[in-house]
Amino acid sequence: MGERPVLSSEAPRAQSTTPLTQSADSLSAMTPRFNLFFRWFARRFFRHFDLDRRTVERLRDLESRGSVVYVMRYASRLDYFLFNALFRREGLRLSSFANGIRFYYYRPFWEVLRIVLRKRTPGSGEHERAREYARSLARDGQSLFLFLRTARLRRWMGRRGAVQQSKNELDLLEEVVAAVWQPERPVYVVPLALFWRKGPRARRRFLNLSYGASTRPSDLAKVTSFLTTYRGLFVKVGDPIDLASFIAERRAEGPLSVARKVRRVILTYLYREEKVVEGPTLRPRYEVQEILLRSPGVEKAIAARAQQRRGSMEQARVDAMRMVREIAANMNSTFLAILNAVVTAIMRRLFASIEVSGLDKVAGYATHHPLVLVPSHRSYFDFVIVSSLFYENHLVPPHIAARENMGFGPFGFLFRRCGAFFLRRSFDDPLYKEIFRAYVAHLIQEGYTQEFFIEGGRSRTGKTLAPQLGMLSWNVEAFLGSARRDLFFVPIAITYERLVEEGAMLGELAGAKKKDESVVGLMRARKFLQRRFGSVFVNLGEPISLASALGDRRDAHAAASTPQALAERRTFIEGLGNRIAERINWAVVPNATSVAACALLGERRRGVFRSELVGRMQEVVDLLRLQDVRLTPALARDEGDFSESITSLLRSELIRSVRDPRGEILYFEESQRRALDLYRNSVVHFLAAPSFLAWRLLAGPASEGLRQELASWLDLFYYEFFVPRGEVLAAHFDGFVDHFERFGWVERSDGQLRATEKGLPRFRFLAEQTRGVVEVYYATFCAVLAAEGSLTLKDLRKAASEQFERAELLGEVDRREAANPVTFANGVDLLVRRGVLQQAEGAGGGEVAYVRGKAFDDLPALRERLAAALSAR
C-alpha cells in the first residue's frame, strides 16, 4: 500500500484520542499533544505524508471491535513518533504501550516533569511490567505496539544475550495470545513495514543507513537517514490477523506454540514486503565475479579456452574476469536516487503526464517470486520510464539487459550503477557466452528483478516485432537449473502520444542509416527539451507464470540432453515468446493519436470533414470497446466529439485544417503519412480480425466457413500482428458479426452474410487498416517467385522493394507507408517458416542465403490469394 503525500500535520480530524488512562504506560504510550519542538518537527517533516482513506477506515473498524496490536520488526522512537502523528491526525486510537522505548519526553513540558518525578527506576521487574501491560491492554480492547527487536545485538551481548532478548520479546506476544485464549474481546494483530528510503540494500552500510543489518538500526542511523530521505517515506500496512480465529484452529498446540506461529507469520509478511522494496541484498562486484568464475560451466569454458589458445589457465581466467566486468551491473542506491531526480525533471519537461496501470497487482506477485519485466520497445525512454516508476513506487528497480552500444562514454558508468548489464551483439566467443548465461542464472538464483526487451531493438514500425529468444532462453534454462518455485514474466506496453525519436525513426524507415549512440549525439538531443510530447501510458499486463507454463514437463525440460528433447524445449521457449508478445500487444492502451491515425489512414484520400473524422474515430473506439480494450482516460473523456483529441493533433501539426463552405476539412501532409502509420501500427492488432473479416465480406457473400477463413488470415499474418487466434475466435468472432448486424452493415440471406450498401464503406475503411501489410507481402511473394538461385535477405528485400515500385506504377498497390525493410523481412520470414524458402546449404560466416524450399510450389497459391483480396473493393 503506497501512501500519497497529501496532508499537513495539523490538529487531528477526529478527536478520538484521549489523555493517558490509568491502564496506559506513562513512559511509552503515545501522546495526544506534543511539546513545542516535536510539534514543529512533525509539521516540518510529516506534513507531506498521510495514510490512505481505505486503510484508515479498516483500522477504525478494527478499533470498534476490540484491541489492535501493531507489530514492527525494530523498535524506533522515530517510527513510533511518525505513527503517533498519523494516528492523532486521523483520529485513530493511540497506542497505550510500546515495548523497548521511552517516549514520555515527546509530551508537553509539565507532563514530562510530572512523569520524571514519579518515574520508576528500570530494573529486573521491567520485563514483567511489559508482560503485564501487553496482557491487560489486549484484554481491555486498547491499542499497543510490539517491536520484535528492541535492542541492538552487539558483539558483547554474545549468543546468550541474543537468545534471552528473543525470548523476552516472544513473551510479549505470548501474553497477547494468552489474553485471547478465553476471548472476551477480539484482538487483531496488524503488521507494519515502514521504509525511509528507496532502492536496493547493499552489504556496505554507509550507503544504506536506514536499513541497518540483521539487527535493529541505531537511532543515529535512523535519524541521519531520515533527514536526507524523509520524502521517500513509505508504509505498508498488512492484513490483520484475527487472533481468536488463529487460536481456534491451533488451540491444542498451546499458547507458546501459537505465539511462535503468529511471530512467524508476521516475519514472513515483513520479509516479503522488504523484499519488494529493497530486493535481495546487493553483493559486491568482486563477490559476484567469484561466484560466476566458480560455476561449473564457466570453469569448463576457461579450461577449454586455455587449451584452444595454448595459453595458461591464469590468462584464460584473466580474460574471464574482464568479461565479467564488461557484463555485470553494479547497482547503487545513491546513484539511483541522484539519477532518478535528474530523470524525473527531464520527463516532467518532455511529457505532460505518465500514467500507469497494473503496478499494484505486479507488486503482489513480487512478494513471492522474482519478476522478469518484458516491455515493448518504441523509445530509448522505455527503460528509463519503467525503472523510474518502480523506484517512485517503492519497488526495487530492475537489472536491465542492454546492448553494448548503450555503454558509451560516462553514461555507461551511470547506467551500470542504475542496474544495466551489457551484452554483445554477437555471442561467438564460447567463454563470453557461458559467463553471460551464468550471470543470468545468478540474477534468478538471487531473486533480482530483471528487464529485457524481447523484440531485441526498438520497433521502427510501431508494431511488436518477432521475439528474439536469446534472453528468454537463458532465463528459462536458469530457472530449470535453480531451486526457484516460480518465475513471472510481466508484459508491459508503453504507449506514447508522440515519440521523442519520431523523426529519426521515420528517416530509418525511409532508408537512412541509424546513427550510433554517443555523448555528442546526446548533447544535440537537448533541443527536444524545448518541446512537449504529450502523455505516456504504461500498462503492466497479466504476468505469465513459468512454473504453470512448464507444468509437469519441468523436470523433462531440465534434463533435456537428446536432440529431440532439446528441440521440444526450443519449441516451448518459442511458444512462450509468442505468448509474451501477444500479452504486450493486448496490454497496449490506445490514445487519441493512434485512434485518429486509424481514422485518417482508413480513407483513400488525405482529407475528411471534421464530422467524418469524428465518426470514423468513434467506429474505431466502438471496436476497441467490443474487445474490452482499455482506453487512455483522456480519450475516454473526449469520446463523442473528440474535440480535445483533434485540437491536440492540430497543435502537434500531425494534421492541418482548412475551411470550406461545406465545413471544416482536416487533412495531413503527404510527408506525415509514415508518422501516422507509425502511430496506427501501435493499435492495429486490435483491428486485424475485423479488418480481415471486412476483406472477406468485400469479396462477396460469406458462408458458414467465415470463422475458418478468419483463422487462416490470422495464421498467415500472426507474426505481423500477434493476434491470439484461439481467443479471438472463441471470444470475439461472434461479437464482431453481431456488431456488424446491429449497425446494419451486413444482412443474413440463405445462410450467408452479405455486406449492405451501408456497410460497404465501413468495410472498405476496415480493410484499409491492414491493406499496406497485404500489399508488401504480395510484392515480396512476387519477387521470390521471380528470383533465381540463392539470395541473401538483403537481396530479397531489395527485389521485393523494386517489385513494390513496379506494382505501384500499375495501380496494384498504393500504400507506400507500409513499404519498409522490417515488413519486407517479415514476409521473407513467413516463407521460411512455411518451407517455401530454406537456408542454403553451406551458408555461414557471412549473411545467410536462401534457396527454394520443399513447399515452394505453394507460393503461387499464396500470391493469388493476396491478389484476390487486393482486387476486392
Side-chain angles (χ1 to χ4, degrees), residues 589-780:
V589 181
N591 55 31
T593 307
S594 57
V595 170
C598 292
L600 289 164
L601 295 179
E603 302 290 341
R604 302 186 69 83
R605 49 201 166 106
R606 290 193 294 118
V608 293
F609 290 111
R610 177 183 279 264
S611 59
E612 291 179 300
L613 179 60
V614 169
R616 292 304 194 204
M617 289 180 69
Q618 189 62 56
E619 289 175 17
V620 173
V621 168
D622 289 344
L623 286 170
L624 294 174
R625 290 194 180 281
L626 190 65
Q627 301 170 75
D628 298 321
V629 176
R630 180 198 302 268
L631 306 177
T632 60
L635 178 60
R637 289 193 304 268
D638 203 27
E639 195 174 351
D641 60 6
F642 299 103
S643 58
E644 291 185 13
S645 302
I646 293 172
T647 299
S648 176
L649 292 168
L650 288 167
R651 188 165 51 245
S652 66
E653 298 184 350
L654 267 178
I655 64 174
R656 297 182 181 276
S657 172
V658 64
R659 292 291 177 182
D660 184 86
R662 294 167 292 176
E664 182 185 10
I665 299 175
L666 298 169
Y667 70 99
F668 60 90
E669 300 286 359
E670 191 62 33
S671 60
Q672 295 287 12
R673 185 180 288 276
R674 282 191 185 273
L676 289 169
D677 188 55
L678 179 70
Y679 295 111
R680 174 180 62 178
N681 284 343
S682 66
V683 299
V684 71
H685 51 277
F686 293 125
L687 302 179
S691 180
F692 290 133
L693 284 174
W695 282 105
R696 179 59 189 85
L697 292 168
L698 287 172
S703 61
E704 295 299 325
L706 183 58
R707 186 186 295 265
Q708 287 69 35
E709 289 188 59
L710 175 59
S712 68
W713 279 106
L714 295 178
D715 277 346
L716 186 65
F717 292 100
Y718 176 78
Y719 285 89
E720 200 68 48
F721 302 110
F722 288 100
V723 176
R725 186 188 70 173
E727 294 179 26
V728 168
L729 296 180
H732 298 309
F733 174 82
D734 292 331
F736 291 138
V737 174
D738 290 344
H739 180 79
F740 296 159
E741 285 190 286
R742 187 168 64 254
F743 281 90
W745 299 353
V746 295
E747 59 185 7
R748 294 184 184 271
S749 177
D750 300 326
Q752 292 184 319
L753 282 176
R754 300 173 184 271
T756 64
E757 287 298 318
K758 180 181 179 182
L760 284 175
R762 270 72 180 190
F763 291 138
R764 293 190 188 106
F765 168 76
L766 287 175
E768 286 296 321
Q769 305 303 327
T770 56
R771 184 178 186 85
V773 173
V774 175
E775 289 181 350
V776 170
Y777 277 51
Y778 169 75
T780 304

Side-chain angles (χ1 to χ4, degrees), residues 59-112:
L59 294 178
R60 283 178 181 158
D61 179 61
L62 296 180
E63 290 177 355
S64 68
R65 299 187 208 174
S67 177
V68 182
V69 181
Y70 298 98
V71 182
M72 297 185 70
R73 185 186 293 276
Y74 302 125
S76 166
R77 276 180 287 270
L78 185 58
D79 296 351
Y80 196 61
F81 177 28
L82 167 69
F83 282 109
N84 192 159
L86 289 176
F87 288 2
R88 173 179 173 273
R89 189 187 304 165
E90 297 292 350
L92 294 170
R93 190 166 61 208
L94 300 182
S95 168
S96 295
F97 168 76
N99 61 314
I101 64 173
R102 293 288 179 266
F103 196 68
Y104 61 90
Y105 41 78
Y106 285 68
R107 297 176 176 277
F109 174 76
W110 293 112
E111 289 187 32
V112 174

Side-chain angles (χ1 to χ4, degrees), residues 177 180-181 183 240-255 257-259 261-262 265:
V177 170
V180 195
W181 203 255
I241 302 171
D242 184 345
L243 267 190
S245 300
F246 197 89
I247 290 170
E249 297 173 3
R250 302 166 179 83
R251 186 174 294 275
E253 301 176 21
S257 176
V258 171
K261 289 189 175 180
V262 171
V265 169

Side-chain angles (χ1 to χ4, degrees), residues 419-433:
F421 61 97
F422 297 95
L423 63 156
R424 297 175 182 173
R425 291 187 178 275
S426 172
F427 280 72
D428 294 337
D429 189 330
L431 177 58
Y432 178 86
K433 182 176 182 179

Side-chain angles (χ1 to χ4, degrees), residues 8 39 76 155 172 189 204 308 405 410 418 449 468 501 578 623 625 684 837 842 845:
S8 62
R39 196 181 311 157
S76 166
R155 292 180 181 176
L172 300 184
V189 176
R204 297 182 292 273
Q308 180 184 9
N405 61 305
C418 292
T449 298
Q468 303 297 305
E501 306 96 329
N578 291 341
L623 286 170
R625 290 194 180 281
V684 71
L837 293 175

Side-chain angles (χ1 to χ4, degrees), residues 472-592:
L472 182 62
S473 299
W474 293 320
N475 272 279
V476 171
E477 290 171 9
F479 173 75
L480 292 172
S482 74
R484 287 280 172 193
R485 289 185 293 117
D486 210 345
L487 180 70
F488 283 90
F489 291 94
V490 183
I492 305 175
I494 307 174
T495 311
Y496 296 85
E497 271 193 296
R498 295 295 300 272
L499 285 163
V500 177
E501 306 96 329
E502 178 187 300
M505 293 173 70
L506 296 178
E508 291 171 29
L509 284 174
K513 185 178 179 181
K514 177 183 177 296
K515 295 181 180 179
D516 293 334
E517 290 75 12
S518 66
V519 177
V520 174
L522 196 64
M523 296 302 292
R524 288 174 179 169
R526 289 179 300 170
K527 62 181 180 181
F528 291 115
L529 294 175
Q530 301 171 11
R531 298 174 56 191
R532 298 280 278 178
F533 294 88
S535 297
V536 183
F537 204 99
V538 183
N539 189 24
L540 290 84
E542 185 64 31
I544 297 175
S545 163
L546 183 53
S548 298
L550 288 165
D552 57 8
R553 296 286 297 165
R554 176 172 181 172
D555 292 338
H557 283 307
S561 58
T562 65
Q564 181 179 355
L566 291 172
E568 288 180 4
R569 188 162 74 185
R570 282 194 297 271
T571 300
F572 167 79
I573 292 171
E574 182 179 353
L576 179 62
N578 291 341
R579 282 181 62 193
I580 292 172
E582 290 174 4
R583 294 204 182 184
I584 289 174
N585 266 358
W586 248 246
V588 168
V589 181
N591 55 31

